Amino acid sequence: MTETQSLDLAKQLIARASVTPDDQGCQQLLAERLQKIGFTAETLNFGDTQNIWLRRGTGAPLVCFAGHTDVVPTGPLEKWTSPPFTPTERDGRLYGRGAADMKTSIACFVTACERLVAANPDHAGSIALLITSDEEGDAYDGTTKVVDVLKARGELIDYCIVGEPTAVTNLGDMLKNGRRGSLSGNLTVKGKQGHIAYPHLAVNPVHTFASALLELTQEVWDKGNEYFPPTSFQISNINGGTGATNVIPGELNVKFNFRFSTESTEESLKARVHAILDKHGVEYDLQWACSGQPFLTQAGKLTDVARAAIGEVCGVETELSTSGGTSDGRFIKAIAKELIELGPSNATIHQIDENVLLEDIPKLSAVYEKMLQGLLA
């Protein structure tokens, strides 16, 4: 196999306009490649989302690559230097929507597996790919549903590598061994609308909420730990009033979010918010939505193997980090003993002229291959 195989496959995937949740045949292309080397393909579609579970072998340990074929919308086409779904090499980079997030990673998954199997067709353990078309969208019918299916039949993962873009400056300089949880609240503070000249006949919800807001913003929710920063509480939107200057509003709407560490739980944060609101006598309705629990893989075999592979291929020292937003790792960790995220640079993801360095593509495939060798040894 030549080092252009990963680039060629990345281009084939980028050329398919798989805007979430439309897979546009990407998963079928992967299945056709991997079935030739002994993988079985299982389609697990839910709603408009296409998912595929590809596996070679039945023994332990099971090493799983996970990712998504869907991409975010392109934005204004006229702002792209080259068409977003026409993969283009320019100035040492590969341009196209999904180049960094995350079709290059998926291409490298496949070519790493192909080389590993060619060199060692009787390898120990099993290799799998879990691919969805709904990571960039609602994520209701994607990885989370596949995880439910696998869990129900006792098909658990020993080591999982999610191909999310994680590099900051150089390929391999950062991997994610966890992510913070995300808990959102939609708070309606109740008052009584009235004329601003007759405040005794009204109840201003902005005023009744003010002291509670101050306490919420000053509260120390936890102090984090060696892997996570302290839990963060942030107001994202606050709105009240009719727009008139002479009307006391009848309601105040407040939207807020916690990005929380493993030192806190969804339940504990909810209870503490309610306690603060009640303490200040706020009359309210509060709706909660948790889009992801925090997860963590302690430094161990998977991180050790990744660091060794990165050091050998890329010549850099890897930082373990839990920064950034959420990923499908939050679902997979429920059935994976150890999980990390490792992929190309995240500098241009979701941007106009998204791209990856051409020289990073064969390197990333080589890192994945060496990880397979280390984990299946």
Side-chain angles (χ1 to χ4, degrees):
M1 178 181 295
T2 67
E3 65 175 15
T4 63
Q5 291 273 24
S6 301
L7 171 61
D8 293 343
L9 181 52
K11 286 181 174 180
Q12 291 179 59
L13 293 170
I14 292 168
R16 297 170 185 250
S18 55
V19 176
T20 190
D22 190 352
D23 172 71
Q24 284 286 312
C26 291
Q27 293 175 21
Q28 181 59 35
L29 176 62
L30 304 179
E32 290 171 359
R33 288 278 291 250
L34 290 173
Q35 284 173 318
K36 293 177 182 177
I37 58 170
F39 279 75
T40 58
E42 181 179 5
T43 298
L44 295 165
N45 295 343
F46 299 94
D48 294 329
T49 300
Q50 293 181 256
N51 308 294
I52 194 165
W53 174 247
L54 294 145
R55 179 165 178 164
R56 187 182 199 272
T58 58
L62 171 57
V63 180
C64 175
F65 292 112
H68 58 91
T69 50
D70 61 318
V71 299
V72 295
T74 63
L77 293 175
E78 67 274 10
K79 292 189 177 182
W80 284 74
T81 306
S82 51
F85 297 114
T86 301
T88 304
E89 295 182 42
R90 186 172 66 252
D91 303 324
R93 296 176 179 272
L94 173 64
Y95 288 82
R97 175 58 85 222
D101 190 12
M102 54 177 284
K103 291 183 174 180
T104 293
S105 295
I106 291 176
C108 291
F109 291 165
V110 172
T111 54
C113 291
E114 289 172 337
R115 287 195 306 275
L116 186 283
V117 171
N120 187 7
D122 298 318
H123 62 80
S126 305
I127 309 170
L129 275 74
L130 192 171
I131 308 295
T132 183
S133 71
D134 187 28
E135 197 272 349
E136 299 289 10
D138 293 333
Y140 294 141
D141 291 324
T143 299
T144 184
K145 291 285 183 68
V146 178
V147 166
D148 288 343
V149 171
L150 298 176
K151 186 176 182 179
R153 64 193 190 199
E155 199 165 357
L156 307 181
I157 297 166
D158 294 285
Y159 307 108
C160 183
I161 302 106
V162 183
E164 289 291 340
T166 56
V168 179
T169 304
N170 299 301
L171 180 68
D173 62 6
M174 180 178 286
L175 65 81
K176 309 289 186 179
N177 64 319
R179 294 278 190 169
R180 294 174 294 175
S182 180
L183 174 64
S184 295
N186 187 355
L187 172 69
T188 301
V189 181
K190 298 179 179 180
K192 182 179 179 182
Q193 184 173 304
H195 196 291
I196 205 118
Y198 302 95
H200 60 288
L201 299 178
V203 177
N204 194 321
V206 180
H207 294 185
T208 60
F209 180 59
S211 58
L213 173 61
L214 179 62
E215 184 168 347
L216 287 167
T217 58
Q218 293 181 340
E219 182 77 0
V220 177
W221 303 96
D222 61 48
K223 295 183 179 179
N225 55 38
E226 63 177 311
Y227 295 106
F228 287 95
T231 289
S232 168
F233 170 87
Q234 292 293 322
I235 300 287
S236 58
N237 190 279
I238 188 164
N239 182 67
T242 64
T245 60
N246 62 348
V247 179
I248 293 171
E251 290 186 345
L252 178 71
N253 182 254
V254 183
K255 291 181 172 60
F256 61 87
N257 178 266
F258 284 101
R259 290 301 165 101
F260 63 105
S261 78
T262 50
E263 295 297 306
S264 293
T265 65
E266 175 186 351
E267 292 73 20
S268 70
L269 294 173
K270 288 179 177 179
R272 290 170 67 184
V273 169
H274 282 285
I276 290 172
L277 294 172
D278 294 341
K279 170 185 168 184
H280 290 275
V282 178
E283 186 178 356
Y284 65 93
D285 286 327
L286 178 51
Q287 303 298 317
W288 294 97
C290 186
S291 60
Q293 298 292 337
F295 65 89
L296 177 68
T297 292
Q298 299 277 350
K301 182 168 183 179
L302 182 55
T303 58
D304 288 348
V305 167
R307 282 174 147 166
I310 291 165
E312 185 176 346
V313 175
C314 305
V316 300
E317 187 172 342
T318 303
E319 176 188 353
L320 303 184
S321 173
T322 60
S323 63
T326 59
S327 76
D328 276 0
R330 69 192 189 273
F331 305 127
I332 304 170
K333 191 62 175 66
I335 60 169
K337 294 178 183 176
E338 298 182 41
L339 179 148
I340 64 169
E341 299 173 17
L342 174 62
S345 170
N346 58 26
T348 64
I349 60 174
H350 294 201
Q351 295 182 18
I352 301 294
D353 285 349
E354 178 181 350
N355 67 83
V356 293
L357 282 168
L358 287 168
E359 65 181 26
D360 283 350
I361 298 175
K363 288 181 181 178
L364 182 60
S365 181
V367 167
Y368 290 152
E369 181 187 6
K370 288 187 179 297
M371 289 185 67
L372 284 174
Q373 293 169 348
L375 295 168
L376 296 176

